[in-house]
Structures are given as structure tokens and as C-alpha cells.
Amino acid sequence: MSSLDHIVLFLFLFLFIPLWGKYNCHKKGNGYWISAIFPILLIAIITGCRHWGADYLWYKYQFEHLNNIEVIEEQSSQPMFFGLNHLLNWLGFNYIGVFITYSLIYFIGAFQLLKTYGKESQYMYYFLIFAYIGFGTSIIRQGISIGIVMFSIPFLDQKKYIKFGLWVICACMIHSATILLVVTIVFFQRFVTFTVKPIYPILFYLIIAFVYNPANMGLIANTIQMLSFINSKFQGYIDNSDIWFSEDAAQDKFTQSSLAIVLNSLFIVSIFYLGHLALKIRYNKRVAYMYNIVVVGYILLRMFFNFELLRRIATPMTMFYPIPLGYALYILLPLLKEKLITATIKKKIIFSISLIFLYLALYWGRFLLQSPDYHFVWNINQ
């Protein structure tokens, strides 16, 4: 059983942020940011005061030992992150303040991105916390850089390429692997703004989920060995590709139960269906390319679910799912109320939405109620 403060605080976040989005998504300019100060600080403080996450203790150690030669070598290839930690140390922050700052950076970026969708973002806020917690609280440095990428995306859409490029440089100087996500976003924004019939990605995903063996990675390992990178960390992965990308790289700890795979697959294919239907009814280029990124991201994630390094590459693509899903609800829910669609389509929409919220209720209900090892900093010495 989770601790009471864990249940209460995260339940409050799950309920408050959607309500805030409903009544504030239409605001523009300074009015938006003034109203967003409280929810951003609230999320940053609650998630920043946690004392859990796969990389939590390692980054806590790094901040508390900035002059350690091991830490200096670790952060030498990520100078922006190294500089950020030194700045926070100079300002007198302890590790709690540092993790709050990390969360703050991410959610400022996320709110900046959703802000540009205006009224269409109303339901995107429903899924904002869910999209962040699983990855951003565990893969911490990459989560920070993704937040900066999110902040930069509106500049790409507005063709303000210098501003976009400067923010991308900052993100890549925090986590160099972010360049893969940036290249993906730029490519899809420029060339993949169309949509295909959802039956094709749905069938492909289901085949991967229930037929394809993701452990068959030998070809990838052999191909990767032919590559070369200047970045020492990337080159380390290349040199050890037989460890990271071969059959032996699959990790049992990531293996899902059959029920989990079924529920997760129903959740994902429902997003595929609803997103495509909404874009068919009212096309939006900025939603369309995000939808395509999410579709490809989920397919890649399922293909390589048991491989930690490849999961870290694919998962950031799926963190944008609040955009196509929120847009779908914004477009489709009014149609259900006004009876402007056929009975068959209506049943499919209701069924898909039900599957999505069933999965979220089960998955995050477990997170709320069955996370006894998830503590806050004020509990760790008790």
C-alpha cells in the first residue's frame, strides 16, 4: 500500500491539472503564463520532492559531488547540465531544490508547447502528468532535455529557426541523445504531415505485440558496429553493440504479463484510431505530424520493449501522445453530444475512449495505491 501523502498528492495532481486546463487553455500571452505559474510550481514541487526513480540516487550523488573526478568525467560531454548543476550549487540549492528545478524545466517546456494549441489543448492537459511520470522521473537528464525540446517546438512551427536551433543546442548539451528526437521531429514536421488509414499501423502494432519476437536483434547489432560517432558515449554503445543490441541484451525486468500487453495494446490502438478519425474530420498539420511521431514511437517501443537503450530512444516519441489524444477528444466529444455521426462510428468512439480511460485507471490506480517504495524526501529519515 502506498503512503497516504503519495496517494493524496498525486491524486490531487491527476485531478487538478485537467481542471486547470479546461478553464485556462484559451488564455494567451501573459495571461496564460500568470495563470500557469501555480500548476507548474505545484507539479514541479510534488514531483521534485519525490525520493524515487531509476537514476534518482545517481543524479543526487552527482550534484553532491560536483568536484569528484568521476562526476566531472561523466558530465564533461554534457556541459550545459554540468553548468546548470554548478549554478544551482552556487545559488545554495540542496538536492531537493535541484530536482524541483529539473521538473520545473520540463513542465515549463510542456506548458509552452500545449499553449500554442489554444482551445484545442483543453483535453491535452488530462494526460500531461501521465506522459511525464514514467520516463521523466526515472531517466532524469534526458527528461530535462526533452522539456527544452518541447519549449523549442513552437519556434520550429513558427519558422523561427534561429530560436529553435539555439534551444536545441541547449537540449543536446544536456543530453546528446536528444539529437535523435530533434531530427525525428524536424523530419516529421517537414515531410510526414499526412495520415494513413489506422488499420495499417494498428495491424502492424498488433503483429509486433503478439507475433514478432523482439529478441531477434542480431542484424541490428551487426549494422550498428559499422557506425562511428565523435561523442564518446555514443561510440561506447557502438563498440559494445553486441551487449546493447543482441539477443542477450533483452532484460527480463521489462517483460510484461500477457494481460498488461493486451491492455496496453488496446490503449495504444485506441489512440491510433481516435487520432486518425479526428484528423480526418478536421485536419490540423501540427497535430498530424505529432500523431505520426507518436504512432511510430509506440511501434518502435513495442518492437524493442525489453531493450533498455532502445526504449530510451523510442519512449520520448510517445511522450507527445497527449497532443493527438487530447485533440481527438476535443473534436469528437462535441460530435457525440450533437449526434452528428453515425451510430456505428459513435459506438467505436465510445468504446475506444472507454478502453483508454480503463487502462489509465488501472495503470495509474496501481501507481497511486500500490507503490509502497515511493516516498517523499520528508519521509526518508523516518
Side-chain angles (χ1 to χ4, degrees):
M1 185 72 177
S2 302
S3 61
L4 181 61
D5 49 5
H6 174 88
I7 297 172
V8 171
L9 290 176
F10 278 103
L11 180 61
F12 179 71
L13 276 187
F14 294 166
L15 297 176
F16 173 74
I17 301 304
L19 287 175
W20 181 90
K22 179 178 180 180
Y23 294 106
N24 293 276
C25 64
H26 64 283
K27 295 182 178 179
K28 300 179 180 180
N30 292 334
Y32 174 88
W33 287 113
I34 290 172
S35 64
I37 290 174
F38 178 71
I40 291 175
L41 286 176
L42 180 69
I43 302 171
I45 291 172
I46 292 177
T47 58
C49 285
R50 75 190 186 283
H51 197 267
W52 46 265
D55 290 347
Y56 183 92
L57 292 178
W58 171 231
Y59 283 107
K60 176 178 180 291
Y61 173 86
Q62 287 192 44
F63 178 75
E64 294 177 337
H65 300 83
L66 287 174
N67 295 320
N68 184 293
I69 187 64
E70 180 186 13
V71 173
I72 294 174
E73 291 177 352
E74 168 72 19
Q75 298 189 3
S76 61
S77 61
Q78 321 294 335
M80 188 66 72
F81 184 67
F82 191 55
L84 172 64
N85 283 332
H86 273 279
L87 174 62
L88 296 176
N89 181 64
W90 179 76
L91 291 173
F93 281 43
N94 62 11
Y95 76 93
I96 301 172
V98 168
F99 280 102
I100 291 174
T101 303
Y102 293 165
S103 295
L104 193 65
I105 293 171
Y106 178 89
F107 284 104
I108 289 175
F111 273 68
Q112 157 81 348
L113 177 58
L114 296 192
K115 167 182 173 291
T116 61
Y117 289 93
K119 293 180 180 180
E120 295 174 348
S121 69
Q122 175 180 339
Y123 296 104
M124 297 178 188
Y125 294 93
Y126 280 49
F127 312 102
L128 179 63
I129 305 297
F130 302 143
Y132 166 78
I133 290 180
F135 189 83
T137 58
S138 297
I139 317 301
I140 294 169
R141 183 160 52 86
Q142 193 172 357
I144 300 170
S145 67
I146 291 171
I148 296 176
V149 170
M150 288 183 172
F151 191 90
S152 74
I153 290 174
F155 298 122
L156 174 65
D157 293 331
Q158 297 162 10
K159 299 183 178 180
K160 298 179 179 179
Y161 299 123
I162 295 178
K163 289 184 177 180
F164 171 71
L166 290 174
W167 284 111
V168 165
I169 291 171
C170 290
C172 293
M173 292 176 70
I174 289 178
H175 198 289
S176 53
T178 304
I179 190 63
L180 300 174
L181 177 62
V182 172
V183 170
T184 300
I185 291 171
V186 172
F187 177 80
F188 276 71
Q189 194 264 359
R190 180 66 179 86
F191 299 109
V192 195
T193 58
F194 57 88
T195 59
V196 299
K197 292 183 179 180
I199 188 64
Y200 300 121
I202 288 174
L203 283 178
F204 189 50
Y205 183 89
L206 293 177
I207 290 171
I208 291 170
F210 299 104
V211 179
Y212 174 73
N213 180 6
N216 186 18
M217 299 285 289
L219 178 60
I220 292 180
N222 294 334
T223 302
I224 287 176
Q225 286 180 340
M226 297 186 296
L227 303 177
S228 179
F229 285 91
I230 296 175
N231 182 278
S232 60
K233 181 165 288 189
F234 275 148
Q235 192 58 47
Y237 293 140
I238 302 307
D239 295 339
N240 296 283
S241 60
D242 57 327
I243 297 175
W244 286 101
F245 304 102
S246 67
E247 294 183 18
D248 294 334
Q251 299 182 38
D252 291 338
K253 67 179 181 180
F254 295 127
T255 301
Q256 292 177 302
S257 68
S258 298
L259 178 60
I261 293 176
V262 170
L263 292 174
N264 183 246
S265 297
L266 291 174
F267 168 75
I268 290 168
V269 299
S270 295
I271 294 176
F272 291 1
Y273 171 72
L274 293 176
H276 179 271
L277 181 61
L279 287 167
K280 183 179 180 181
I281 293 172
R282 187 189 300 177
Y283 178 79
N284 182 314
K285 177 181 176 181
R286 296 183 61 238
V287 175
Y289 81 81
M290 282 293 179
Y291 168 81
N292 289 327
I293 289 173
V294 170
V295 169
V296 174
Y298 272 124
I299 290 173
L300 292 176
L301 182 60
R302 176 49 59 192
M303 287 176 67
F304 309 125
F305 195 85
N306 284 14
F307 299 82
E308 181 178 5
L309 182 60
L310 295 173
R311 280 167 56 93
R312 293 191 180 203
I313 294 173
T315 301
M317 298 171 66
T318 70
M319 292 174 71
F320 294 100
Y321 86 80
I323 294 174
L325 179 54
Y327 180 77
L329 295 182
Y330 176 80
I331 297 298
L332 299 176
L333 288 180
L335 300 182
L336 293 178
K337 296 176 183 178
E338 298 173 12
K339 300 181 180 180
L340 297 177
I341 51 179
T342 65
T344 301
I345 297 297
K346 181 178 180 180
K347 290 179 181 178
K348 290 180 180 179
I349 293 172
I350 293 174
F351 183 64
S352 298
I353 293 174
S354 299
L355 289 176
I356 286 171
F357 282 96
L358 172 64
Y359 174 79
L360 292 175
L362 293 174
Y363 186 93
W364 293 104
R366 180 179 180 182
F367 168 82
L368 281 176
L369 301 175
Q370 298 184 13
S371 301
D373 297 327
Y374 285 15
H375 301 293
F376 289 100
V377 292
W378 51 80
N379 299 132
I380 58 174
N381 294 321
Q382 297 181 6

